[in-house]
Amino acid sequence: MKIFYGVQGTGNGHITRARVMAKELYYAGADVTFLFTGKNTADYFDMEIFRHYLVKSGLTFSLNKGQVQYIKTAVKAKPIQFYKDVAALNLEPYDLVISDFEPVTAWAAKKAKKTVLGIGHQYAFNYDIPKTGSDPIANTVMKYFAPVDIGIGLHWHHFNQPILPPIIETTQHIASINKKKILVYLPFEEHQAVMTFLKPFVDFEFYIYTLAPERSCLRHIHCKPLSREGFRQDFYDCAGIITSAGFELASEALQAGKKVLAKPLHSQMEQLSNAFALQQLGYGQTMYELDAQILAAWLYDNHVVQITYPNVAQIIVQWIAEGMPTMTHDFITSVWSNVKVSQIQ
């Protein structure tokens, strides 16, 4: 089967999910061409698994101090270039088109009158799941940014809706955890603000991953460049993650038994809803500013939730191979029956 797979590259979560899907699709013998949009070619890293892939500008959001700037986003949208990218994309040779909230692929499929399959967290918002921060702009973006014909929504819990668990790599058993080691990934915050925020907590070791790391003069704060391998090594034995309220990293943390402190982007409905769901489910803590009191309470709280999820990528690839039949209630229930939630102290 020949597949064209578009991936929103603005955040690394979509790319992480695509890596897992790529592995299963290649294993099943599929011939896949990937398209990544949302940032410059030089900003992508560790992309070897995607073999041959394309990069285009696409559409993305402008951010400032952890907040979505909708007016600036509209100004920088480059609609003419987006239209050209859509018009130039030839999807005729492909048997299946997939979009992980990637707009060029989704709109090119619409133009070519090809059915497009959506796989991603955003498609869960078509159902009755925990939501907050919604407004007319956010609803419009969610509906028209990357429209699909069939959407497979992913979330940490089913909420009695026809959605599936997260697509994440199966993590190996961790023999020992360094309870003082905290991984920090706050890509939308000013680096110096994060450093100042963490500075007082000298009893802990913080490993900050950032696109442009600055040398730290503090012994308990380590700044590192973005690297998949380096991040995985530090993720392996850390006790917790401080991150924005993106879906994928929180999913990996939950499966690995890491405690989560999430700071959602302001004015970003998806992240605000993710933070709301984490809190509602009891799976993590949230803060809406860089709040030292919340951080202190979280650092010294040893309660952790660990969730074992099945290989959802493999399940979806098998479903595709079977002709994408309607996902019945029994099918959805059978997938979730393999999810195990444990409380760790």
Side-chain angles (χ1 to χ4, degrees):
M1 178 180 283
K2 197 172 176 64
I3 298 173
F4 192 91
Y5 200 135
V7 182
Q8 172 60 245
T10 304
N12 289 312
H14 298 268
I15 302 173
T16 299
R17 181 162 54 240
R19 284 192 177 99
V20 184
M21 285 297 298
K23 179 180 176 182
E24 294 297 334
L25 286 166
Y26 291 144
Y27 184 77
D31 178 7
V32 190
T33 298
F34 285 91
L35 167 66
F36 297 88
T37 68
K39 57 187 177 185
N40 297 325
T41 303
D43 293 332
Y44 293 97
F45 57 92
D46 295 333
M47 300 289 283
E48 292 81 6
I49 191 171
F50 299 113
R51 301 180 184 176
H52 47 280
Y53 64 92
L54 309 172
V55 174
K56 295 184 182 297
S57 57
L59 297 174
T60 189
F61 298 101
S62 293
L63 307 165
N64 182 42
K65 296 182 180 179
Q67 184 163 354
V68 178
Q69 306 288 300
Y70 282 113
I71 295 177
K72 194 173 181 181
T73 295
V75 170
K76 290 190 170 184
K78 299 180 182 178
I80 295 175
Q81 184 59 52
F82 177 73
Y83 177 82
K84 288 180 178 178
D85 288 343
V86 169
L89 192 58
N90 179 18
L91 298 176
E92 196 58 41
Y94 297 93
D95 304 304
L96 177 63
V97 179
I98 300 175
S99 173
D100 185 334
F101 208 55
E102 196 292 297
V104 174
T105 301
W107 284 103
K110 289 284 184 186
K111 176 177 174 291
K113 295 183 171 53
K114 273 186 167 286
T115 299
V116 57
L117 170 65
I119 302 175
H121 177 53
Q122 284 78 7
Y123 305 110
F125 287 87
N126 294 327
Y127 301 97
D128 186 15
I129 64 170
K131 299 172 190 170
T132 189
S134 181
D135 58 53
I137 296 177
N139 292 336
T140 300
V141 169
M142 195 64 73
K143 184 175 180 179
Y144 294 108
F145 187 80
V148 298
D149 299 291
I150 303 169
I152 299 178
L154 311 170
H155 216 305
W156 303 307
H157 184 72
H158 53 72
F159 304 106
N160 296 315
Q161 301 299 315
I163 56 181
L164 296 181
I167 294 173
I168 45 181
E169 286 184 300
T170 303
T171 55
Q172 62 187 106
H173 177 69
I174 301 168
S176 62
I177 295 293
N178 181 348
K179 292 188 176 182
K180 298 297 184 181
K181 182 175 181 178
I182 304 297
L183 193 57
V184 182
Y185 180 60
L186 293 167
F188 309 116
E189 305 296 326
E190 291 184 341
H191 182 72
Q192 196 56 50
V194 174
M195 294 280 287
T196 302
F197 174 55
L198 301 175
K199 182 179 178 179
F201 300 94
V202 295
D203 291 338
F204 294 84
E205 295 279 331
F206 299 99
Y207 291 76
I208 305 174
Y209 276 82
T210 178
L211 186 62
E214 299 175 14
R215 182 168 180 163
S216 170
C217 60
L218 302 169
R219 295 181 63 182
H220 68 297
I221 297 180
H222 314 273
C223 301
K224 295 191 169 185
L226 292 181
S227 159
R228 177 170 168 76
E229 190 55 39
F231 191 90
R232 286 172 64 86
Q233 288 176 2
D234 284 321
F235 178 86
Y236 178 77
D237 65 345
C238 75
I241 309 285
I242 303 173
T243 184
S244 57
F247 179 70
E248 199 66 22
L249 181 54
S251 301
E252 292 182 347
L254 290 172
Q255 173 144 294
K258 315 289 186 182
K259 60 184 182 179
V260 179
L261 176 58
K263 182 189 179 297
L265 276 168
H266 295 180
S267 304
Q268 218 274 11
M269 188 268 281
E270 181 200 346
Q271 290 216 358
L272 289 167
S273 297
N274 288 346
F276 180 53
L278 280 171
Q279 198 83 42
Q280 186 181 91
L281 293 166
Y283 288 175
Q285 295 297 317
T286 61
M287 59 180 175
Y288 294 91
E289 304 295 338
L290 295 176
D291 190 313
Q293 286 188 319
I294 293 176
L295 174 59
W298 178 80
L299 286 171
Y300 290 98
D301 184 357
N302 292 322
H303 177 259
V304 179
V305 174
Q306 182 169 27
I307 308 176
T308 303
Y309 291 113
N311 188 339
V312 176
Q314 185 181 76
I315 292 169
I316 291 175
V317 170
Q318 180 62 36
W319 171 80
I320 290 173
E322 292 172 357
M324 303 195 302
T326 301
M327 288 190 179
T328 63
H329 175 75
D330 288 346
F331 176 86
I332 300 291
T333 301
S334 70
V335 175
W336 283 101
S337 68
N338 293 305
V339 175
K340 310 298 179 187
V341 181
S342 305
Q343 306 289 331
I344 303 172
Q345 288 290 349

